[in-house]
Amino acid sequence: MSAKAGEIVLNAKTQIAPLSIVAMEGAKELGENVNRYLVEWSKNNGHSPETFLVRTECPRFSSGDAKGLIRNTVRGDDLFIIVDVGNYSCTYKMFGEQNKMSPDDHYQDLKRIIQASSGKARRINVVMPILYGGRQHRRNYRESLDCAVALQELENMGVENIITFDAHDSRVCNAVPLMGFDNVIPSYQVLKTIFKNVKDIRIDKDTFMIVSPDEGALHRNMYYASVLSVELGMFYKRRDYSMLVNGRNPIVAHEYLGNSVEGKDIFISDDIISSGESMLEVAHELKKRKAGRILVYATYPIFTGGLSDFDKAYNEGIIDCVFGTNLTYRTPELLSREWFYEVDVSKYIAYLIAALNHGVSTSKVIDPHYKVKSLLEMYNVKRPAGM
């Protein structure tokens, strides 16, 4: 896929339209990484672009009102807007005070930039790794459906394609059945990072196992178990449905279903580490069952409860590694932790943008089955005998 992607990047004969990329305020680092790959591939094909990034900003008045500005022309371009609605490190001044941007603020700025394009772009695509309102994905009582409404709003504004990663519930795409919606799982990048950083790991049924932290993450972990040909276990959360704490029913206990984990290295995958409380409780339960090393992965390592509990768990030998992508903001403190390993997904996004920009099917890019198989074969060949 890599060679093929490199060949199609910015071939003027096959492009839908000239490529332009907007990296919103919270996604500057990710946007620059994606742009670097696209520029490199384009130069390999005989072109010499300096950048595909479009200069934009969303300045605010002292009252907090804002507007979107596009400094370069995007007329007739295939416009890709990269936005991280979870980046809480971005701030703006209102009535003389600094305020942190919430997902609502990032989403409003996205709409401002879409408005600023004034309908002149050939096509508008949004790369939104963590979906706005994605955790509020279904209605149980008299409550809002934020993600579904946001997707419909973007469709009405002229957005043709949405690219997201590891959606909390991918069925939210049913809200916009006529709009392009790609939910991408970066499993190949995750496994590649594990093999690179955990040198003596063995992938076989006798020494390695996948465990889902709850029933909601089961489909994610089923994929890893299937492609690695190892056993799968799971926990389910027994909740107290008679009360609400912080908007949800509190967890009474984590119950385990599956074969013995004794002596095995365990891989646990989920979409988000928020407080991390559930993940750590699962790790403790696995250690009670005499599990070996515990490797934790979350696509979005946001750690709203801080890092101290994970520091303690690492020092006590409860967890060994935490893997997370660069698809959302990571604090400098997190990046400095010896137990944290970053999964770089920027090249993957560049592939997706290249494919869409040339009208090429994204199915082979999204489904990494063969790449994972090749990775396993290469890993097994390189691994020294007896390991």
Side-chain angles (χ1 to χ4, degrees):
M1 178 61 212
S2 58
K4 186 176 181 180
E7 290 170 3
I8 66 173
V9 170
L10 292 191
N11 183 332
K13 295 181 180 179
T14 59
Q15 271 185 292
I16 289 176
L19 176 64
S20 287
I21 298 174
V22 169
M24 300 295 293
E25 180 63 28
K28 294 293 186 185
E29 178 187 1
L30 182 61
E32 289 170 358
N33 290 337
V34 170
N35 177 67
R36 186 175 68 252
Y37 283 112
L38 292 169
V39 169
E40 178 185 343
W41 295 339
S42 182
K43 288 181 177 179
N44 290 340
N45 282 315
H47 304 280
S48 55
E50 293 184 5
T51 183
F52 298 111
L53 290 171
V54 175
R55 293 184 300 121
T56 63
E57 58 181 305
C58 292
R60 290 181 180 263
F61 301 98
S62 58
S63 61
D65 293 334
K67 61 181 178 180
L69 296 174
I70 298 179
R71 298 295 188 182
N72 306 79
T73 180
V74 294
R75 185 181 294 273
D77 288 358
D78 195 12
L79 183 62
F80 287 81
I81 306 175
I82 305 175
V83 56
D84 177 11
V85 298
N87 192 337
Y88 59 90
S89 71
C90 300
T91 61
Y92 64 91
K93 186 171 287 188
M94 179 176 176
F95 288 93
E97 296 184 2
Q98 288 295 127
N99 293 271
K100 286 191 173 183
M101 291 183 67
S102 70
D104 294 342
D105 294 314
H106 286 292
Y107 177 62
Q108 290 298 326
D109 278 356
L110 168 64
K111 292 195 296 182
R112 292 179 177 112
I113 293 301
I114 293 173
Q115 292 177 65
S117 68
S118 305
K120 300 300 189 293
R122 168 73 180 275
R123 187 174 66 172
I124 299 176
N125 313 272
V126 172
V127 181
M128 186 186 291
I130 184 168
L131 278 178
Y132 171 74
R135 300 184 76 178
Q136 179 53 22
H137 57 95
R138 64 174 180 261
R139 173 177 285 161
N140 293 319
Y141 306 102
R142 291 182 294 274
E143 56 189 10
S144 62
L145 285 172
D146 296 21
C147 189
V149 170
L151 291 175
Q152 291 177 348
E153 188 173 21
L154 292 176
E155 183 179 34
N156 291 334
M157 295 184 73
V159 174
E160 293 191 30
N161 294 296
I162 295 279
I163 298 174
T164 190
F165 284 78
D166 202 354
H168 192 66
D169 190 338
S170 60
R171 291 172 296 181
V172 73
C173 70
N174 293 332
V176 284
L178 300 181
M179 183 171 71
F181 185 98
D182 289 319
N183 179 42
V184 186
I185 310 296
S187 49
Y188 170 75
Q189 287 73 18
V190 174
L191 292 173
K192 188 175 181 180
T193 306
I194 290 175
F195 291 159
K196 179 181 178 181
N197 293 285
V198 186
K199 302 296 184 183
D200 58 343
I201 196 166
R202 293 179 60 186
I203 308 296
D204 57 55
K205 290 183 177 180
D206 296 327
T207 60
F208 192 80
M209 189 171 175
I210 307 294
V211 172
S212 176
D214 54 40
E215 59 275 24
L218 185 59
H219 69 283
R220 297 180 179 88
N221 291 276
M222 283 176 63
Y223 178 81
Y224 285 105
S226 298
V227 77
L228 298 177
S229 299
V230 296
E231 292 183 341
L232 172 69
M234 70 164 288
F235 283 86
Y236 73 90
K237 298 174 181 177
R238 185 152 55 86
R239 295 181 180 273
D240 182 357
Y241 288 98
S242 66
M243 58 188 301
L244 284 175
V245 177
N246 295 326
R248 63 181 183 177
N249 304 108
I251 299 170
V252 176
H254 288 84
E255 304 288 355
Y256 176 70
L257 299 173
N259 293 332
S260 172
V261 299
E262 185 174 352
K264 295 183 178 180
D265 291 335
I266 307 296
F267 177 72
I268 309 171
S269 173
D270 210 347
D271 60 334
I272 295 175
I273 291 180
S274 184
S275 67
E277 179 181 338
S278 294
M279 192 70 82
L280 291 178
E281 288 180 7
V282 165
H284 277 281
E285 290 296 324
L286 289 169
K287 283 297 184 181
K288 288 179 184 178
R289 292 167 172 80
K290 300 180 181 180
R293 292 178 297 182
I294 295 180
L295 286 63
V296 174
Y297 164 72
T299 306
Y300 303 105
I302 57 179
F303 290 96
T304 58
L307 304 174
S308 58
D309 289 343
F310 278 80
D311 287 335
K312 181 180 179 182
Y314 174 72
N315 292 329
E316 293 177 352
I318 304 300
I319 60 170
D320 292 85
C321 307
V322 177
F323 297 86
T325 72
N326 61 340
L327 291 169
T328 192
Y329 174 70
R330 295 90 57 226
T331 64
E333 291 77 19
L334 174 62
L335 294 175
S336 70
R337 293 301 197 267
E338 62 179 341
W339 45 261
F340 180 75
Y341 297 93
E342 184 171 275
V343 179
D344 186 2
V345 190
S346 54
K347 190 175 185 179
Y348 200 5
I349 295 176
Y351 281 154
L352 289 163
I353 290 176
L356 285 173
N357 182 237
H358 290 77
V360 174
S361 172
T362 61
S363 59
K364 290 184 179 180
V365 186
I366 293 173
D367 184 2
H369 179 73
Y370 294 105
K371 293 184 72 175
V372 170
K373 286 295 185 183
S374 299
L375 178 66
L376 286 172
E377 291 172 2
M378 182 176 64
Y379 171 74
N380 288 330
V381 168
K382 288 185 175 182
R383 193 177 66 190
M387 287 189 65

